[in-house]
Amino acid sequence: MFENTSLRRLAAGVGAIALAAAGLLGGVAYADPGPGQEGAPDQGSIIVHKRVGTEGTRGNGTLLDPAPGTALPGVEFTVQRVGVWTGGACVAIDLTTNAGWTAAQLAVGPNPGAPATSAEEGKLCAAGSAVSKTTDVSGEATFDALALGLYYVTETNAPANVIDRALPFYVTIPFASKQGASETAPTDWLYNVNVYPKNATADKPTKTIGLDQVDLVVDADITWTIAQTIPTLSGVGSTFTEASIVDQLDPRLTYKSGAPVIENVTGDQLVAADYAFTNVNGKLTWVLSESGLSKLKANQGKKLSVELVTTVTSVAADNTTAGTITNDATVSFNDKPQTTETEPYSYWGNLTVTKQDVSSKAKLAGAEFKVFAQVEGLCPADMPTSGAIATGTSGTDGVVKWDSATPAESPLGLFIANSATPIANPTRNYCLYESVAPVGYVANAAPQTVTITTADNASLAVTVDNTKQTVPGLPLTGGVGTAVFGATGLVLVLGAIAGGTALRRRQSAN
């Protein structure tokens, strides 16, 4: 019915491109009869083995054991039977005929293109309904009970971390599998064709925070680091078509500085011309240009990172997030964005200090306070002569306004902790000293330990009482003192009268 040599020659042309996406070596296949021969199957299957890795040499349709690369589940493939536009109709290619194998040669070439969607006489077309399946945990998807013919295989969906999808490819059932590398190597017919298309995947990016916070008062800077491994592309012809980093800042943060770099770069480092930067209402975006994408391709497997410096502008927020600042980021390669798998935390709290008279509770102006970080977990008995992180003075309402802001304001925002993971009840102790008392009052000599926390809407209120200065005593009036002065006066008067009488008697006697 058919001449096997002729069929194999036709099939070899299609076979040369059928498994171009597989990129793997194969073993010896079981020899089935050729199409149309006695005992030949009338159906076959395409078994997709989805793997992560780079392309190898072209496969030959046989099962590989062990399969190279790592299995990739969750990837959807669509298989479409192919025909030829004939008289305005799409007629499926039948590979039980020589005419079918001749038509299949339309799929031969370095870039044969997808089946035509509009009726173009003699062009390849989509015959019948396509079938889609998703790879299982072993990375496999089997399309079985397929009629003998030409099929177009496309990767139609993939997990978010897949940044370099397999290129579409054609495959015939049966497939003429060449059993060796030489031109004269024999071929065998395969009705169950194994294909190994490769993908490049990207690990999730990370976001970290500097744990050693130098500045402890609001308006301090926090350093965050966004990092992502540059994916290894799956093939020589693969490339990066897009790469970007996006970071939406918390409203209590403002941007200060940051630029993408390639760690341990080979060749030239990224420069300003390699990316475009925008800051729209705290949404920071770095988009790599063509020159930047080329540098990524030259540094596959290395780290792309941004050291982002932000400034804390306030502590206030609603009751559930007051004092708690989080920040994540999104990194995209080839329009496949992924959010950082870690979300670091920065904790802050407010301190309000009010000055009043210990007795009358009247608010006092003119008291000066200083805040210091603890020294080895303690507040020294004597106020340090230097190193205050904030100084403030009480106003007529008794509330201390701090000079860490211009103009001075209250409350004072203080740092609690930076952490890679959530902290259940973050706290930090500071030392509060009264450095100058209001006029006429005695300053509190002892330091006061204040514990800053995110509890109670991240707000701590402290009231400091003052006593008046000791003053000299005034003369006593009334009571026992009056009686004493009265008796003394009476004695003096009587003494004067007696003295006067005696004097007159002496004068008369003379």
Side-chain angles (χ1 to χ4, degrees):
M1 187 173 182
F2 297 100
E3 184 176 317
N4 243 1
T5 301
S6 176
L7 282 177
R8 290 177 191 276
R9 185 177 299 113
L10 288 167
V14 180
I17 53 91
L19 303 182
L24 305 171
L25 291 172
V28 178
Y30 177 81
D32 275 317
Q37 300 299 310
E38 183 178 353
D42 58 4
Q43 290 184 332
S45 65
I46 299 173
I47 305 98
V48 177
H49 304 264
K50 189 61 179 173
R51 317 297 291 181
V52 175
T54 56
E55 290 180 353
T57 55
R58 182 171 294 140
N60 67 353
T62 59
L63 181 65
L64 300 175
D65 188 17
T70 304
L72 182 59
V75 181
E76 181 187 77
F77 282 88
T78 298
V79 170
Q80 171 69 61
R81 190 174 183 185
V82 178
V84 175
W85 286 110
T86 305
C90 184
V91 179
I93 292 174
D94 179 4
L95 292 186
T96 64
T97 68
N98 273 325
W101 284 101
T102 300
Q105 300 304 302
L106 294 171
V108 175
N111 187 23
T117 55
S118 58
E120 298 181 52
E121 189 72 15
K123 298 289 187 180
L124 296 177
C125 56
S129 299
V131 178
S132 296
K133 291 188 177 183
T134 301
T135 56
D136 59 20
V137 293
S138 61
E140 295 182 8
T142 299
F143 298 83
D144 51 12
L146 300 177
L148 304 189
L150 177 65
Y151 292 86
Y152 187 63
V153 183
T154 54
E155 184 178 320
T156 45
N157 202 2
N161 65 330
V162 174
I163 59 96
D164 184 23
R165 293 188 183 183
L167 296 175
F169 58 94
Y170 288 94
V171 61
T172 60
I173 299 177
F175 175 70
S177 175
K178 191 173 183 180
Q179 302 303 304
S182 71
E183 290 295 325
T184 59
T187 56
D188 287 325
W189 292 109
L190 298 182
Y191 289 81
N192 300 303
V193 185
N194 294 274
V195 295
Y196 292 80
K198 292 293 186 61
N199 275 116
T201 59
D203 296 332
K204 280 194 171 185
T206 60
K207 185 78 174 281
T208 56
I209 189 171
L211 300 181
D212 296 327
Q213 185 68 31
V214 176
D215 299 322
L216 304 177
V217 178
V218 162
D219 286 333
D221 292 338
I222 303 177
T223 300
W224 319 75
T225 301
I226 308 164
Q228 167 75 313
T229 300
I230 302 170
T232 300
L233 297 170
S234 61
V236 176
S238 301
T239 190
F240 290 110
T241 59
E242 179 272 346
S244 61
I245 301 169
V246 179
D247 193 321
Q248 178 63 65
L249 296 182
D250 183 283
R252 292 162 291 178
L253 299 175
T254 58
Y255 169 78
K256 186 172 183 179
S257 65
V261 297
I262 300 172
E263 298 178 14
N264 302 312
V265 64
T266 298
D268 295 334
Q269 180 59 267
L270 293 174
V271 295
D274 295 324
Y275 59 87
F277 172 71
T278 58
N279 179 2
V280 181
N281 297 322
K283 183 179 182 179
L284 313 178
T285 305
W286 295 267
V287 179
L288 271 70
S289 62
E290 287 296 327
S291 59
L293 295 175
S294 296
K295 291 180 180 179
L296 292 187
K297 189 172 183 179
N299 289 276
Q300 298 174 55
K302 295 184 178 178
K303 290 278 188 182
L304 174 68
S305 65
V306 172
E307 186 173 274
L308 172 62
V309 181
T310 61
T311 301
V312 181
T313 58
S314 70
V315 174
D318 61 59
N319 288 335
T320 59
T321 61
T324 302
I325 300 174
T326 60
N327 190 233
D328 58 20
T330 299
V331 180
S332 173
F333 292 101
N334 292 358
D335 297 304
K336 300 289 285 188
Q338 292 195 92
T339 301
T340 48
E341 61 182 355
T342 52
E343 186 179 42
Y345 293 76
S346 187
Y347 296 101
W348 297 76
N350 279 329
L351 172 66
T352 301
V353 177
T354 303
K355 192 67 171 173
Q356 68 180 17
D357 183 286
V358 67
S359 300
S360 68
K361 307 304 179 187
K363 306 309 180 205
L364 302 176
E368 182 186 83
F369 287 88
K370 292 182 182 292
V371 176
F372 292 81
Q374 283 194 326
V375 179
E376 297 180 351
L378 298 173
C379 292
D382 296 326
M383 184 180 70
T385 57
S386 63
I389 62 174
T391 301
T393 304
S394 61
T396 56
D397 58 357
V399 176
V400 176
K401 292 182 171 57
W402 304 93
D403 62 6
S404 56
T406 303
E409 63 179 11
S410 178
L412 175 64
L414 291 169
F415 169 75
I416 299 174
N418 288 337
S419 177
T421 56
I423 301 174
N425 297 296
T427 61
R428 188 182 182 95
N429 291 333
Y430 286 89
C431 305
L432 177 67
Y433 294 88
E434 184 176 352
S435 51
V436 177
V439 175
Y441 285 84
V442 179
N444 291 284
Q448 185 168 349
T449 299
V450 291
T451 301
I452 306 302
T453 174
T454 57
D456 299 322
N457 204 27
S459 182
L460 174 66
V462 175
T463 300
V464 181
D465 293 329
N466 271 123
T467 58
K468 296 181 178 68
Q469 290 278 8
T470 302
V471 296
L474 296 176
L476 299 176
T477 60
V480 176
T482 303
V484 171
F485 284 119
T488 303
L490 179 59
V491 170
L492 292 174
V493 170
L494 290 176
I497 292 173
T501 300
L503 178 61
R504 284 194 298 272
R505 285 177 179 174
R506 284 194 296 271
Q507 290 175 344
S508 297
N510 293 330

